[in-house]
Amino acid sequence: MKPLLLLALLTPLIAADHRIEDIPLPEGVPPEVGGLDFAPDGSLFVVLRRGDVFKATPTDDPRDFDWQLFATGFHNGCGIDAVSPSKIRVTQMAELTEAEDTDDDGAADRYRRLAHGWGLSGNYHETNTLVPDGRDGYYLSIGTASHNGPTFEHTLGDYSKFGRRGRNFSAVKWRGWVLHYGPDGELTPFASGFRMHNGLHLDPEGRLWSSDNQGDWKATTPLYHIEKGNFYGHPSSLVWDPEWPDDKDPLSTYRDDLDAYNEHRTRPAIQIPHRGVNRSGSEILTIPDGFGRFAGQMILLDNNGTRITRLMVEEVGGAMQGACLHFIDGEGLRSGNNRARFSPDGRQLYIGQTTRGWGKLAEGLQRITAGDPVFEVETISLTPKGFRLELTADLAAGDPSGIGVSSFTYQSRWTYGSPMENKRDHKITVGGSGPTLDLAVEGLEAGRVYEIRLPELASKDRGKLRHRTLYYTANRLRE
Amino acid sequence: MRRLLILLAGCGVLDASPLTLDNLPLGEEARPLLLRTYVPDPGLSKEVFAHHHDADSSPKYTPKTGRDIKGRYQPIPGIPAAVAVNHGPALSYAFDTTECRLLYAWQGGFLDMFPYWGDPDRGNRRSFGYVPSLVGTVFHQASGAPPLELDGRPVAELGDPDYLGYDLDEQGVPTFRYRFGEHRFSLRVAPLDDRPFSCRLTFRSESPGRLGYRGQEETVFDRGVLVVNLRGKALSEHSGFPRKMAIDRPTAAAGETLFANYGCIACHSTDGSDGHGPSLAGLFGKERPLTGGTTVKADDAYLRESIKDPNARTAEGFPPNYMPPYPLKDKEVESLVLFIKSLRDR
């Protein structure tokens, strides 16, 4: 296309930002939000890490919530499904528990262990969460232990000396796994190789996703498309894989043979630069129609930054891959973003935050209301020659020939995170018109992450382009 | 302290207050507090953990090289999946969901959650000693196989324990439900009159047959209900977690203890491996690159500043405003500096 020969950017119109509000919990209550969920009637349940569960009917004024103590006594409850206004299910350290108010006095009185069978070594790091499978069962994520804490002398469940090795470890059963819990009560191992997959998501098309926490064997923050039987890269969990030999230490095996490791593991659909975009991925959600922006795309919370990441996935060559960029960067968002739910009407995003025990405190509950439409990259997709970007409005000012593209690789290994390696810059040619930018990229190769840096661009009535750096993980190229 | 609120005036239904930042939570005699948490092990015998598994020591390891280093991690005492219940100063007890039995009971306090929940201003758990500490006098400890019997047979012979859950009555008193094999039982524990070191256990069975209780306790069995009046004696005294560290003069050893107590290792490794903050190994005396392109020598003054006012200068490659300030006493700061100095050669 002809470069846009506008000498100056148009005066940007300021589109209203997201509105981010604090929602106070009752006075004196530590708002360490392990999980939250809306019941079908719209009431909001919040489970706090010390053990209490509060319930409220949301109001326009965030200070007017009628918080009631609904249940107590959960050990670091980090996943919650509000089945009905009087019944919740909570993953705590040792089990999935159902708590029900059977006498209609507003407080749960019947607590039943619904699922168990994963171990608990006594390490502080072994938290769990859940996502309903849509068929009256759940997928459960069973987090690993950290070498910054011990195990107990007596563990819940089998103990593995090889599983105990390493930085984050899996000394007891199913740590580092996704399990499936069926309504018949059966617990089935589903996928392995996770470190701290603190958030599972089943998208409207029935695909299961998680992120993980950058660290050992996690080069950077990943987005995984989880399929049954796959191994996602953290070796310690393999000690519980019936097909893994009992006398083989997975940690040293793969430390000494990264080729075999790479052969075995399923790579992330998207690799998310951990400093630039998301330091610690937690909850993933699909944006609903009501929110006003990017419906159908996914967001990923950052538990360790004042950020939320937007994810754009597509299927290429039979596997999922795609791009990430900021959805919210600052704007008054707290850090510690741990769990989130869209309100039943889809218009607001409720976010529960906690970091207690890990860095600076960032505890609380916030909600986000989308503002006016803004000028953003709406979608990016891989083409045979490069990338096609669709913007949310016609490009009206700025010179897209200033777009920069570079690429790099990551190799997960035993180190706590891995650097960007094999960096290179790519020459590009820019085409397209209106809201479309077509990038032809020289030297496009599979297996690399592409950093696309957009210059200052502006639209006619949606202001300047908001978030200008995105990263596309090209696991495969288009034919 | 958990206070009572009258939720529904006239109905007499009592509602509990929520947990707060208070690390010494307490229930009331009539309305207990139920807490699921890691529970301290007051020294129970191995037989009590019949359905647990044994952990072992494990070689220390560094993610820097992916290899073992000198020393071994030792497992610590603690109970992973018990429920702790407190009726105020009158009674505390721990019921285990794995063994399905009362593990121990104590009086005069509950749990000091400071090691696990941390200082309210910082929320930092103690790194290798985060099990809550007991407060009060332990007067009963389980030993051997579970004492409950059905028609003269110990429940352990009926099959493996299988925890089902619990129900709360109007005062929030739990009745625990569990099975041994196919036989279902329940247990309710409550304070027993005003006598010290006592509590009342009420067992029920859904199976026909006579319940019995091994031991010398006073028991009454009537219409499927077995009541056991458990009277113990002072077995051990506990006063919670010792908060204050008396430091006569700053030492590296005191610094190491503070480093553990404040959970610093969650972000700062001592072996050179990367983390969420800079490693302290080999740091002292080095030129340290800062955000903004300048450098600083990591000397005593810089380390002091980094502890007291960590956001004054940010080490290159790390985010700003990430570490909270630690307003410690001078002797504590000096001890930490000495500890960091001692890591210079690692």
Side-chain angles (χ1 to χ4, degrees), chain A residues 17-170:
Chain A
D17 257 328
H18 297 103
R19 181 157 55 98
I20 302 184
E21 298 167 294
D22 285 335
I23 304 172
L25 279 141
E27 181 78 30
V29 169
E32 303 156 347
V33 182
L36 63 120
D37 196 28
F38 286 95
D41 73 337
S43 53
L44 174 65
F45 287 85
V46 175
V47 56
L48 304 177
R49 291 174 58 203
R50 287 172 205 234
D52 287 343
V53 176
F54 283 89
K55 179 187 176 188
T57 304
T59 51
D60 288 343
D61 186 338
R63 292 161 301 184
D64 272 355
F65 285 31
D66 57 341
W67 292 112
Q68 301 285 327
L69 186 60
F70 177 78
T72 61
F74 298 101
H75 186 190
N76 218 348
C78 283
I80 179 170
D81 177 26
V83 179
S84 79
S86 60
K87 191 199 287 188
I88 57 171
R89 292 170 180 167
V90 175
T91 47
Q92 45 180 334
M93 300 290 266
E95 64 182 60
L96 167 63
T97 309
E98 179 176 281
E100 185 173 7
D101 172 14
T102 64
D103 59 6
D104 216 20
D105 70 350
D109 47 67
R110 184 177 188 275
Y111 292 70
R112 287 294 178 273
R113 183 169 75 170
L114 215 57
H116 66 111
W118 57 88
L120 186 59
S121 78
N123 191 274
Y124 69 90
H125 206 271
E126 295 172 322
T127 60
N128 318 305
T129 185
L130 57 73
V131 69
D133 71 355
R135 308 184 305 271
D136 291 329
Y138 294 94
Y139 294 102
L140 304 164
S141 75
I142 310 295
T144 59
S146 165
H147 81 158
N148 288 330
T151 70
F152 289 171
E153 292 166 350
H154 308 290
T155 62
L156 173 63
D158 295 337
Y159 175 86
S160 161
K161 67 172 180 178
F162 287 142
R164 173 69 180 81
R165 309 298 298 271
R167 204 249 175 230
N168 270 49
F169 59 86
S170 181

Side-chain angles (χ1 to χ4, degrees), chain A residues 15 81 132 259 353:
Chain A
D81 177 26
D259 289 341
Q353 295 138 335

Side-chain angles (χ1 to χ4, degrees), chain A residues 266-299:
Chain A
T266 300
R267 284 161 208 265
I270 304 181
Q271 310 229 50
I272 303 162
H274 110 283
R275 292 224 162 99
V277 182
N278 191 311
R279 287 173 66 86
S280 178
S282 50
E283 188 101 303
I284 299 170
L285 294 173
T286 297
I287 303 172
D289 286 335
F291 199 66
R293 293 180 194 179
F294 313 115
Q297 296 186 13
M298 293 189 289
I299 52 167

Side-chain angles (χ1 to χ4, degrees), chain A residues 52 109 122-123 158 165 304, chain B residues 19 38 53 68 130 168 322:
Chain A
D52 287 343
D109 47 67
N123 191 274
D158 295 337
R165 309 298 298 271
N304 212 227
Chain B
L19 293 165
Y38 286 139
H53 292 250
D68 296 340
Y130 49 74
L168 300 179
Y322 193 60

Side-chain angles (χ1 to χ4, degrees), chain A residues 26 28-30 32 49-52 54 68-69 72-76 92-95 97 103 105 107-114 116 120-126 147-159 161 164-167 213-214 216-217 251 255-256 274-275 279 304 356-361 414-417, chain B residues 2 7 13 15-21 23 34-38 41 46 49 52-59 61 63-68 73-81 97-98 116-117 120-125 127-128 130-131 162-168 177 265-267 274-276 311 317-319 321-324:
Chain A
V29 169
E32 303 156 347
R49 291 174 58 203
R50 287 172 205 234
D52 287 343
F54 283 89
Q68 301 285 327
L69 186 60
T72 61
F74 298 101
H75 186 190
N76 218 348
Q92 45 180 334
M93 300 290 266
E95 64 182 60
T97 309
D103 59 6
D105 70 350
D109 47 67
R110 184 177 188 275
Y111 292 70
R112 287 294 178 273
R113 183 169 75 170
L114 215 57
H116 66 111
L120 186 59
S121 78
N123 191 274
Y124 69 90
H125 206 271
E126 295 172 322
H147 81 158
N148 288 330
T151 70
F152 289 171
E153 292 166 350
H154 308 290
T155 62
L156 173 63
D158 295 337
Y159 175 86
K161 67 172 180 178
R164 173 69 180 81
R165 309 298 298 271
R167 204 249 175 230
N213 182 207
Q214 180 258 9
D216 51 319
W217 303 95
L251 180 77
R255 179 195 65 208
D256 297 340
H274 110 283
R275 292 224 162 99
R279 287 173 66 86
N304 212 227
R356 177 169 61 73
W358 191 38
K360 195 171 179 177
L361 287 177
W414 55 89
T415 51
Y416 197 90
Chain B
R2 275 198 160 202
L7 179 67
V13 176
D15 187 31
S17 299
L19 293 165
T20 66
L21 287 167
N23 278 321
L34 183 151
L35 205 57
R36 279 199 80 163
T37 178
Y38 286 139
D41 174 359
K46 189 169 159 41
F49 294 100
H52 286 70
H53 292 250
D54 292 335
D56 204 349
S57 68
S58 186
Y61 167 90
K64 190 180 179 187
T65 58
R67 294 185 188 270
D68 296 340
Y73 296 112
Q74 298 299 334
I76 63 168
I79 303 164
T97 66
T98 309
Y116 199 41
W117 290 349
D121 295 332
R122 285 187 290 271
N124 50 320
R125 131 188 29 81
S127 26
F128 282 83
Y130 49 74
V131 178
D162 181 21
Y163 169 72
L164 301 171
Y166 56 85
D167 295 292
L168 300 179
R177 303 191 184 279
I265 199 161
C267 295
D274 287 341
H276 294 275
N311 301 310
F318 296 92
N321 296 312
Y322 193 60
M323 174 172 154

Side-chain angles (χ1 to χ4, degrees), chain B residues 29 91 190-196 198-200 228-231:
Chain B
E29 180 155 355
L91 176 67
L192 176 59
D193 49 56
D194 290 332
R195 298 213 208 164
S198 64
C199 60
R200 170 167 289 171
V228 179
N229 290 336
L230 202 64
R231 300 187 194 281

